[in-house]
Amino acid sequence: MKLFKDRCFELKQSKQFQLFVAIIIIYSSLAIGVNTYEVDPFITKVLSISDYLITILFLIELSIRFIAEKTVKEFFSDGWNVFDTIVVISSLVPLSASESILILRILRLLRLLRIVSFIPELRSMVEDLFNSL
């Protein structure tokens, strides 16, 4: 188990992993933007399938970051991890057709804010902004 935990930590720290997650976040945001327009039914289907895949990728990515931490308390002591967990879990909650599509879009747009937790400069800037307020 220790070896697996170490591999998860190495993966979490790697620039390639962080870049991959950032690209997925940006793609997800673009897909949400495209989905707000009337598009061909085939494109709508592709976007729907890609949304499921993105959710699965985010769940795997969050699991890797969770496993990489020394303790559960340490993972949840970081506000960005709590934020990411809420966003990913909210993506897992299915909404029926009768519920507001706007709420779903807003929750999924929160994924874009996750990029802040992967780019140290943005993270520092946002934290400094909150501290100054």
Side-chain angles (χ1 to χ4, degrees):
M1 183 65 179
K2 174 96 167 108
L3 179 64
F4 182 66
K5 194 176 192 78
D6 291 343
R7 296 283 293 148
C8 286
F9 182 78
E10 289 171 15
L11 183 61
K12 176 188 131 183
Q13 296 297 100
S14 75
K15 292 291 183 191
Q16 295 87 357
F17 180 72
Q18 294 173 5
L19 179 63
F20 175 74
V21 172
I23 289 169
I24 296 298
I25 292 169
I26 292 168
Y27 172 79
S28 172
S29 302
L30 291 173
I32 291 168
V34 169
N35 216 9
T36 61
Y37 295 100
E38 288 292 324
V39 292
D40 186 75
F42 175 75
I43 293 174
T44 302
K45 184 71 172 167
V46 168
L47 291 175
S48 176
I49 292 169
S50 70
D51 187 55
Y52 286 117
L53 293 173
I54 289 167
T55 300
I56 291 167
L57 287 172
F58 282 154
L59 186 60
I60 292 168
E61 174 263 332
L62 186 66
S63 298
I64 289 169
R65 288 180 28 220
F66 181 80
I67 292 167
E69 289 296 334
K70 292 181 181 100
T71 64
V72 173
K73 183 179 179 184
E74 193 171 308
F75 178 81
F76 287 110
S77 67
D78 183 350
W80 290 109
N81 288 339
V82 173
F83 174 75
D84 289 347
T85 303
I86 291 168
V87 171
V88 171
I89 289 174
S90 69
S91 295
L92 295 173
V93 176
L95 293 176
S96 68
S98 64
E99 293 180 284
S100 174
I101 297 298
L102 180 61
I103 292 172
L104 180 62
R105 286 184 182 150
I106 290 170
L107 287 176
R108 292 198 172 138
L109 273 176
L110 286 176
R111 290 176 177 172
L112 181 59
L113 293 177
R114 292 188 65 224
I115 203 164
V116 172
S117 63
F118 287 96
I119 301 175
E121 293 81 13
L122 277 177
R123 187 178 188 165
S124 176
M125 193 169 63
V126 169
E127 289 171 353
D128 290 344
L129 179 64
F130 278 121
N131 288 338
S132 68
L133 291 175

